[in-house]
């Protein structure tokens, strides 16, 4: 099964089953009975519509934000990872990130051989967790949603990873 189809199925099950269970509970509490045919139709319709809408919105957002013409499998992942060459020490990277004006929204701290940070929740996301690991010859930049249940990030994690990579690679 192609990655996009698995993603559609995952969204369909998440949206459709959640909606179906909530509507079943609502019908049972409201009327004391459950109309299975009606609920199956509403679950399938709502799940299908919401998964289609989510994918279309995600595609438009990603294409506009990154100037791309086509999306890859990596664009559908909520957790984004990027490796860059190690040209800075941990302390100099931490200083550089703190000097950058966007770092005001990143709350960063040094922990052992890595920099950890969080972003605040906004209307676009519930916040992100940022980890910058200093490996032997490279730096690993990871940005992922703070909520483990979040499946879509509207490109915010990709944006964090790319922005940190640009800051750390500046001369």
């Amino acid at each position: 099964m192609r990655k996009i189809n698995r993603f559609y199925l995952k969204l369909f099950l998440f949206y459709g089953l959640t909606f179906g269970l909530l509507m079943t509970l609502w019908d049972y509490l409201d009327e004391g009975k459950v109309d299975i045919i009606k609920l199956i139709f509403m679950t399938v319709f709502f799940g299908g519509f919401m998964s289609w809408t989510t994918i279309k919105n995600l595609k438009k957002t990603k294409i506009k934000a990154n100037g791309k013409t086509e999306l890859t499998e990596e664009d559908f992942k909520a957790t984004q990872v990027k490796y860059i060459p190690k040209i800075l020490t941990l302390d100099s990277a931490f200083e550089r990130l703190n000097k950058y004006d966007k770092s005001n929204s990143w709350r960063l701290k040094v922990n052992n051989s890595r920099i950890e940070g969080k972003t605040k929740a906004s209307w676009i996301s519930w916040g992100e967790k940022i980890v910058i690991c200093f490996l032997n010859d490279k730096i690993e930049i990871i940005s992922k949603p703070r909520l483990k249940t979040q499946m879509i990030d509207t490109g915010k994690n990709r944006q964090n990873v790319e922005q940190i990579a640009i800051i750390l690679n500046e001369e």
Side-chain angles (χ1 to χ4, degrees):
M1 184 181 289
R2 287 183 19 208
K3 179 78 173 175
I4 187 77
N5 292 341
R6 281 188 296 214
F7 195 59
Y8 270 118
L9 182 61
K10 186 192 266 187
L11 289 173
F12 173 77
L13 292 173
F14 179 74
Y15 288 131
L17 292 179
T18 303
F19 180 76
L21 290 173
L22 289 173
M23 291 307 297
T24 301
L25 181 64
W26 181 272
D27 275 0
Y28 181 74
L29 294 174
D30 189 39
E31 300 173 8
K33 62 180 180 165
V34 177
D35 183 2
I36 298 295
I37 303 295
K38 176 179 97 174
L39 288 173
I40 289 173
F41 175 76
M42 288 189 330
T43 299
V44 169
F45 179 75
F46 185 79
F49 177 74
M50 289 305 294
S51 63
W52 176 78
T53 304
T54 302
I55 294 289
K56 290 299 178 188
N57 185 33
L58 179 65
K59 283 183 178 182
K60 285 181 186 177
T61 304
K62 291 276 188 180
I63 289 172
K64 282 183 183 177
N66 298 326
K68 293 184 172 186
T69 57
E70 191 174 316
L71 297 175
T72 63
E73 274 187 41
E74 284 298 311
D75 293 322
F76 289 105
K77 294 181 179 177
T79 299
Q80 295 291 324
V81 180
K82 184 170 186 163
Y83 295 94
I84 60 172
K86 186 176 180 181
I87 58 172
L88 297 170
T89 64
L90 176 71
D91 293 329
S92 61
F94 184 70
E95 286 177 26
R96 189 176 282 187
L97 287 168
N98 280 329
K99 285 181 186 175
Y100 188 72
D101 44 320
K102 244 194 178 178
S103 66
N104 294 334
S105 65
W106 300 332
R107 291 175 279 161
L108 301 172
K109 64 180 180 179
V110 176
N111 188 5
N112 295 332
S113 65
R114 58 197 219 168
I115 300 172
E116 297 177 346
K118 294 180 181 176
T119 64
K120 296 178 182 176
S122 67
W123 68 274
I124 293 176
S125 94
W126 290 100
E128 295 82 36
K129 182 178 177 183
I130 299 168
V131 179
I132 305 167
C133 298
F134 285 76
L135 307 173
N136 292 335
D137 59 340
K138 57 188 169 186
I139 299 174
E140 178 185 45
I141 306 167
I142 304 168
S143 182
K144 60 185 177 181
R146 282 173 50 185
L147 288 178
K148 294 189 187 316
T149 57
Q150 186 175 342
M151 296 186 309
I152 305 289
D153 72 344
T154 63
K156 187 66 176 144
N157 287 307
R158 170 73 80 183
Q159 183 182 11
N160 287 339
V161 166
E162 295 298 331
Q163 189 65 48
I164 291 170
I166 289 170
I167 294 169
L168 294 180
N169 281 329
E170 284 179 347
E171 292 296 324

